[in-house]
Every structure is written in structure tokens, then in C-alpha cells.
Amino acid sequence: MEQYRQECRNIIINIITDMAKEKGISEKELSFDQLAAENPPKPEYGDIAFPLFPFAKSFKDAPPKIAAAVAGKLAEVKNPLIEKAQAAGPYINVTLLRAAICTSVIESVEKEQERYGTNNHLRGTKIMLEFSCPNTNKPLHLGHLRNDSLGESVGKILKKSGAEVLKVDLINDRGIHICKSMLAYQKFGNNTTPESEGMKSDHFVGNYYVKYAEWEKKEPEIIEQARKMLIDWESGDEQVRLLWKTMNKWAIDGVKQTYEATGIEFDKYYFESETYELGRDEVLKGLEKGVFFKKDDGSIWVDLKAYDLDEKVLLRSDGTSLYLTQDIGTAISRSKDWPFERMIYVVASEQNYHFKVLFLVLGMLGYEWAKNCYHLSYGMVNLPEGKMKSREGTVVDADDLLAELIDYAVKEIESRERDDDAQDIKTISNAIALGALNYYLLSASPHKDIIFDPEKSISFNGDTGPYLQYTSARISSILRKYEERKDQYQNGKYDPSLLTVQEEWDIIKLIAGFPDLVAKAADEYNPSLVTAFLFELAKLFAKYYHDNPVLKNEDQNLVMTRIALLKAILPVLKSGFQLVGIPFLERM
RNA sequence: GCGUCCAUAGCUCAGCUGGAUAGAGCAACGGCCUUCUAAGCCGUAGGUCGCACGUUCGAGUCGUGCUGGACGCGCCA
């Protein structure tokens, strides 16, 4: 679509330039950079609108008069794109010639199929993308689901825009919080295992973290035991390491099961237990170079007052690492492993300050690429009752939520009594649950806080993933019926001049803009542009096919033409679905 | 106290580089299944775009101030 806009815009620029010459106005006075190509508010106005306010000054004339003059000249221009151009007040509205554009759009989708939307916006750019980053002391919760959903989707959008993407996860497998669940297991575990208890392994570990919290409430002094365990861990105590390995494996295995269930994949895993020492070395090097400074108690600090921030500790007085220390190490080892042109961290907004500091520190250590690091900050996920609080047990567990969604989908399917169409209830309800979840989590702008209402997310009416799946299943159904009765239409021929319904044209224009939209979503790291696009396309189609039969037409040419349109819509939906994690369903 | 972000219909959210009467979905009310899946379609109602100034021919959109909210400012992660 953008190409058509640009072409029309150039024609108008030429006309205005000529008009200015006649009036002896110099070209410098014309503010073409302000000439916008917009969408008219109503379809009857045409397809592209140009407000002419910016030229009022140089022409010393009213915008409506200028518009009328330009429209007059535009009418004389012969262009295969333009059907007509009219002045409406201060605007020039251009109506495009439909048939050629329809054919061109339909042909490019036919050629590219589900690859449609692929663009060269970021061609060849190496982008490392970090997301999820679970702790190994408890299972994933709703907050992780937003993170995972966003990371996975942004990765796909970047790839579709030509980038080379490496998705990495950082397993937070080290620290005092890990020792807490280990301690509780030592005390209460009785050598049970996830297998012996028949429990998903990360939930099993999580239970001991909860048990620890209860325990500490009664006996606050046990925190000392946890601290000692961390020291033992750092010094490599065999027993502690063994228990750590065992429980880590349980936690990670369980998390990976959730990844698989939700369609999350990584190219590479990093473990904090393997990178935190490198961070410490880097900080010490920085100290030698005089970038950082040491306080009397031996702790090492960075002074960020020059950047309007405060001082920040990088290494404890006892020499042990902090969160920031490990992130420094991780970042550096990554740039060595896979030299990237961009590094994106998908992490909640509560860590905005952390990343500001991290990038500054990396820059101070002399790493040029620090300026190419970006914190994709996303808002908190709250519940209708308020904030999720682990202490109050209001944290929504990821696996539980998914199970709840699937359960609801099963009930919905059964209540419809359409088991002929929806044979495999399990697969379909799984797909619906995932579609509902991903669509809900991605349809808000990333940086905004969202309220996750479990009740609403599993409602399948309106602006939801299941609605999109339903619409695409309907298209599939029509195409299936067409294939079955193909013989009846063998005399029909595709004829773009038959695409006269407004919705048909709106659909074509929408589809034409999809590659640009994907590129923009890649620029903004914003999947909600894609979800909004999909909803608009699905809604347009739903309205269209409700009023306009595809197969039930006397005119076989019309049937063939509309089938061609449907064959262009479906791959675009599928393509968009892939980008935002909505499973496509042939039937539902 | 300081910093970052947010504020649009009863609720959840869109609103592209400022441009023609501010848009969806849900909830409410009223229609539409002998017709390609009613998880659908159509219609009605609902808004001083938090408040006040300012910039501009033009502000939901940009700037300043204020109010309200979220998050952060740990030798936690």
C-alpha cells in the first residue's frame, strides 16, 4: 500500500511544484516534508487523502482553493493507478483503480503463501533476544507467560523482517533463593522425588520454596542456614552441589515442559551459575582501569552521578557477586559467543533502572556494543483484584491457567455438539486455549500494565484469539467445499472487475499493507500491531461473507473471483497467526 | 523526596509522522439461523480524550505545570 501512496504523493508534489513555478514561488518555500498521505475517514472519499494546509502560506491562498486547483490538474494526469481525484475542502482525495491492485495483491499472496509479510526491513541484522529467564526455585507464573509470549512473538516478527535472530534464555539457577528451597527439601523432603509424588517436577520444587517461607516465618534465624548454604555452594561443597544439581534439573525439566506446551523455543540456554564469575572478573578489571572504585569495606562501586544516577554496588565486600555482576558477565560472554548487532532484553518494567545501569556500566568498561543493547520493558500483569502477591498466594500459576483454559475450551466444544466437525477435541481445545492466551497477552501495547481477567480471557466472544481461529476455520471450510465441487465451476474465470463490494476492496488494501505493518511491528518490537491487524481483517471478512455468498452464485466467474480472494486472505491470516502464537485450525 | 512510565465509553483496550463528525470488543437493549460452522452478523445507547495553560491554520496526539496511579531508587533477584 505504501508504494501506491508514495506514487500518488510524488505526482501531487510535481503538480504543486509546477503551480508554484507559474506563480513565481520558489521551491524552497514549499514544505513538502509536511505533505502527509492519509486514510480518508470514509470509504466514499476514496483511498488516499492529502491535506493541503501546509501550502497555504507559500501560496497565500486558502487550502480549499489550492486543493481544487491541484485536483483539476490531477484529473489531467494519466496514471494506471488513479481512477479519480477530487477536492473535498482542504483535502485531495484520490481513488485508486481497483482491478490492477487487486490482482497484484492476490498474485503476491498466491506466490508467497504463508511467507507473505516477509520484508527486508532488517535484512541480515544479527539480533540476540533474551526472554523468559526463570528461577529454578519455582514454576512459571502468569508474569512469565506475558514475557514468553512477547519474546517468542517479537522474535518471529524480527525474523519475518529479515533479521537473523538468536533466542536465548538465562536460567537463574544461583543465589540465596535457590538455597532456600534446597534447605526446605533437606528438612522436609524425606528423599521424595517428583516421580514418587506423581508431581510435575517444577511444582515439586516450588512447594519447598513455599515450605521454606512458612518455616522462616516461625524461625526467622534459619536465613543464616540459607546464607551458609550459598557460601558452601560457591566453595563447591559436594553435597550441596549434588542437591543443587538434582533440584535444578527438576525445576528446569518442568519449565521446559511448560515451554513446550506454550510453543516457546530457545536457540541457546545460559546459566547464571556459569557466567557470574566472569562478571566478577570484569568488575575487577574495571577497578584496575580506574573505571570503578573500592570502598573501605572492600565493596566495589560505580559512580553514575555524571548520568544523573547514583552510585551502585557491583561486588559485595565479601567478594561475592550480585545480580548486576552476573548480567555484566552474561552480556560479555554472549557478545563473544555470537557477535550481535543488537541485543534485546525482554524484562518487566520493574527493572528499568537495572538495565539503564547495566548498559552504562558495559559502556564504561569499553564495550562499544553496549549502545546496541535495548531493554524491551513490558508492563506488569495484574489481576482484577489487584496485584499478584506470592505471599498471599494470589499468583496465577502458568500450568494451572493453561489447564483451566483448555478445560473451558473442551466444555465450549462439547456444548456445541458438533463433534462431527471437531473430532479431535483435545488437540483443538489445546489450540484454542493457546490462541486465547497469546492473543490476550499480546493485544495490549507491551509497555502498558495489563489486567488479566481469567474469566474474560477464556470468553470466546469478540476481540479474541478464538474469534480469529473461528473466522479462519470458516474460510477453510468454504475452500474445502469449493474443492469438493470444483467441477461445477470449471467454466468460471477470475475477473478482478467483479470485486466491487466495499469490503473486498478494504480487505485487499489491508492485505497490501501487511508487509509494512510487520516491518513497523519489528521496529517497535510491538506484536499488538499484528493482533490489531488480524482482528480487523477477520472482522472485515466476517461481515463480508455474511452478506456475500462465495459459492452460491449463479455467475461462475464471480465464484472463481471470490475464491481467489479467499485464497489470498487465508495465508495472510495464517502468516499473522504464526507471528503472535495463535494456532491455525482447519476446523473448529 | 528523586527518577521512569501510565491516565480515552460502565469494564478491557485501539487511535499511524499533529489533520475532515474520537474507534473496537465486553457488558446493556433490540433484530437475524429452511441459505458456505450463530464461537457469527446487523442495529441502539454510551466519551467536556485526568485537570489547566501553551505551541499551531488545526492537539487525544507536541511542551510546561498540577492531580491521581504503577514501578523503581537494596552489599535482593
Side-chain angles (χ1 to χ4, degrees):
Chain A
M1 208 52 214
E2 197 50 38
Q3 43 181 332
Y4 307 131
R5 286 168 171 248
Q6 284 307 327
E7 197 165 334
C8 291
R9 191 170 172 272
N10 288 337
I11 293 170
I12 288 178
I13 287 177
N14 287 338
I15 290 173
I16 293 177
T17 309
D18 288 347
M19 282 168 57
K21 262 186 209 156
E22 284 170 25
K23 299 206 173 189
I25 300 166
S26 92
E27 230 172 287
K28 285 176 195 159
E29 285 179 59
L30 303 170
S31 34
F32 286 126
D33 52 325
Q34 283 181 55
L35 178 61
E38 301 171 339
N39 294 323
K42 281 185 177 181
E44 53 266 37
Y45 289 160
D47 302 308
I48 310 171
F50 298 91
L52 294 184
F53 300 99
F55 306 101
K57 263 187 193 157
S58 37
F59 276 87
K60 294 192 179 95
D61 214 342
K65 278 194 171 176
I66 304 171
V70 175
K73 300 226 170 186
L74 201 51
E76 293 161 23
V77 176
K78 275 189 186 167
N79 186 290
L81 268 182
I82 299 172
E83 186 185 300
K84 61 173 178 175
Q86 287 176 314
Y91 296 87
I92 288 196
N93 294 319
V94 176
T95 304
L96 297 172
L97 215 50
R98 294 186 183 189
I101 295 173
C102 285
T103 301
S104 142
V105 169
I106 287 171
E107 276 175 357
S108 44
V109 178
E110 189 185 13
K111 196 174 117 210
E112 299 185 51
Q113 289 300 316
E114 282 147 61
R115 291 193 317 278
Y116 186 75
T118 302
N119 64 83
N120 291 325
H121 191 62
L122 296 172
R123 184 164 55 187
T125 312
K126 290 178 83 168
I127 303 178
M128 192 179 276
L129 178 65
E130 175 199 277
F131 61 103
S132 199
C133 305
N135 290 344
T136 54
N137 62 339
K138 54 188 170 191
L140 302 180
H141 57 72
L142 180 50
H144 290 109
L145 288 179
R146 186 177 195 191
N147 185 308
D148 293 349
S149 215
L150 238 184
E152 191 65 38
S153 177
V154 166
K156 286 180 173 143
I157 291 168
L158 293 173
K159 278 185 193 169
K160 198 122 191 161
S161 297
E164 190 183 336
V165 179
L166 194 78
K167 294 186 288 180
V168 300
D169 196 359
L170 178 61
I171 309 287
N172 198 329
D173 59 350
R174 187 206 78 89
I176 189 90
H177 54 294
I178 309 295
C179 293
K180 288 176 178 177
S181 42
M182 284 160 65
L183 202 60
Y185 179 78
Q186 268 185 345
K187 169 101 175 171
F188 307 110
N190 293 320
N191 292 318
T192 53
T193 65
E195 292 78 28
S196 75
E197 303 307 295
M199 203 184 283
K200 189 163 175 281
S201 56
D202 51 339
H203 289 241
F204 180 86
V205 174
N207 278 355
Y208 288 99
Y209 191 67
V210 173
K211 280 200 175 104
Y212 173 87
E214 290 162 0
W215 183 17
E216 199 196 72
K217 229 181 221 172
K218 282 180 229 151
E219 300 178 41
E221 63 276 11
I222 60 162
I223 183 72
E224 287 311 320
Q225 291 185 46
R227 286 201 184 113
K228 182 177 176 302
M229 196 180 242
L230 182 61
I231 291 168
D232 288 344
W233 182 89
E234 288 218 10
S235 65
D237 180 286
E238 228 171 272
Q239 269 202 321
V240 171
R241 284 281 177 155
L242 192 68
L243 177 62
W244 173 75
K245 269 191 178 169
T246 307
M247 292 186 75
N248 258 349
K249 185 168 185 326
W250 286 338
I252 293 169
D253 283 352
V255 166
K256 283 187 176 172
Q257 280 171 37
T258 308
Y259 285 157
E260 197 177 339
T262 50
I264 305 301
E265 285 171 357
F266 293 96
D267 300 307
K268 190 169 170 61
Y269 287 90
Y270 282 87
F271 298 87
E272 288 197 342
S273 57
E274 291 170 2
T275 56
Y276 78 102
E277 285 175 310
L278 175 62
R280 185 167 53 202
D281 295 346
E282 286 292 334
V283 171
L284 291 173
K285 268 193 240 163
L287 181 68
E288 276 174 37
K289 279 195 263 176
V291 180
F292 308 135
F293 68 95
K294 195 179 226 171
K295 288 201 176 173
D296 291 343
D297 60 5
S299 56
I300 297 173
W301 295 72
V302 60
D303 185 353
L304 299 169
K305 291 201 199 82
Y307 304 95
D308 279 332
L309 299 173
D310 212 343
E311 293 177 347
K312 187 87 186 167
V313 65
L314 297 176
L315 217 51
R316 290 193 186 96
S317 49
D318 65 3
T320 56
S321 297
L322 288 126
Y323 176 49
L324 187 58
T325 326
Q326 359 188 93
D327 258 0
I328 293 168
T330 311
I332 292 165
S333 66
R334 281 174 179 167
S335 81
K336 285 177 184 154
D337 292 348
W338 197 76
F340 48 77
E341 283 153 68
R342 255 191 244 180
M343 165 85 215
I344 300 166
Y345 292 85
V346 183
V347 181
S349 61
E350 55 192 354
Q351 295 192 34
N352 286 354
Y353 185 76
H354 170 79
F355 282 99
K356 208 182 254 179
V357 173
L358 174 65
F359 300 156
L360 281 173
V361 168
L362 287 169
M364 289 167 85
L365 283 170
Y367 295 104
E368 276 292 314
W369 46 263
K371 62 179 191 304
N372 303 325
C373 292
Y374 178 78
H375 173 208
L376 172 49
S377 162
Y378 63 89
M380 305 273 97
V381 183
N382 298 314
L383 301 173
E385 312 78 74
K387 210 173 143 51
M388 283 197 286
K389 285 179 182 151
S390 54
R391 282 182 198 158
E392 292 165 27
T394 54
V395 175
V396 177
D397 178 81
D399 297 313
D400 292 350
L401 177 68
L402 200 62
E404 193 185 336
L405 294 175
I406 291 170
D407 198 47
Y408 181 82
V410 169
K411 285 186 182 127
E412 282 286 314
I413 293 169
E414 284 171 351
S415 75
R416 269 165 244 285
E417 295 173 354
R418 260 215 322 269
D419 40 16
D420 56 323
D421 263 4
Q423 304 110 329
D424 189 355
I425 291 187
K426 203 181 158 202
T427 311
I428 292 176
S429 50
N430 238 300
I432 290 175
L434 263 188
L437 181 67
N438 282 327
Y439 188 87
Y440 193 98
L441 292 173
L442 295 176
S443 53
S445 299
H447 69 282
K448 285 195 177 178
D449 291 353
I450 57 173
I451 294 176
F452 186 87
D453 187 340
E455 295 280 320
K456 276 185 188 153
S457 80
I458 55 187
S459 149
F460 294 159
N461 297 316
D463 186 7
T464 66
Y467 170 78
L468 298 179
Q469 291 171 314
Y470 175 73
T471 309
S472 54
R474 291 292 300 268
I475 298 177
S476 304
S477 173
I478 296 171
L479 291 175
R480 244 187 339 264
K481 290 214 160 66
Y482 162 75
E483 290 296 332
E484 284 165 16
R485 313 171 192 166
K486 225 173 178 172
D487 298 346
Q488 296 177 29
Y489 313 111
Q490 56 186 336
N491 295 326
K493 270 168 75 182
Y494 164 78
D495 176 1
S497 71
L498 296 176
L499 293 169
T500 53
V501 179
Q502 183 60 38
E503 283 84 14
E504 290 171 332
W505 178 232
D506 290 340
I507 286 168
I508 289 289
K509 283 196 286 183
L510 201 56
I511 291 178
F514 186 57
D516 291 329
L517 181 122
V518 174
K520 195 177 168 214
D523 266 342
E524 297 179 8
Y525 309 126
N526 186 0
S528 80
L529 298 181
V530 178
T531 57
F533 169 90
L534 289 171
F535 182 59
E536 202 182 337
L537 181 56
K539 209 170 39 159
L540 260 175
F541 176 75
K543 183 180 164 69
Y544 166 67
Y545 87 115
H546 184 267
D547 303 332
N548 302 283
V550 175
L551 298 175
K552 293 176 182 175
N553 286 304
E554 294 285 316
D555 181 354
Q556 292 193 21
N557 290 343
L558 187 59
V559 171
M560 292 309 288
T561 305
R562 288 186 173 170
I563 285 292
L565 178 67
L566 263 57
K567 282 186 173 173
I569 297 171
L570 196 60
V572 178
L573 285 171
K574 284 185 185 174
S575 170
F577 280 15
Q578 284 166 5
L579 296 179
V580 292
I582 299 173
F584 168 75
L585 288 170
E586 201 74 44
R587 311 159 186 265
M588 69 185 277

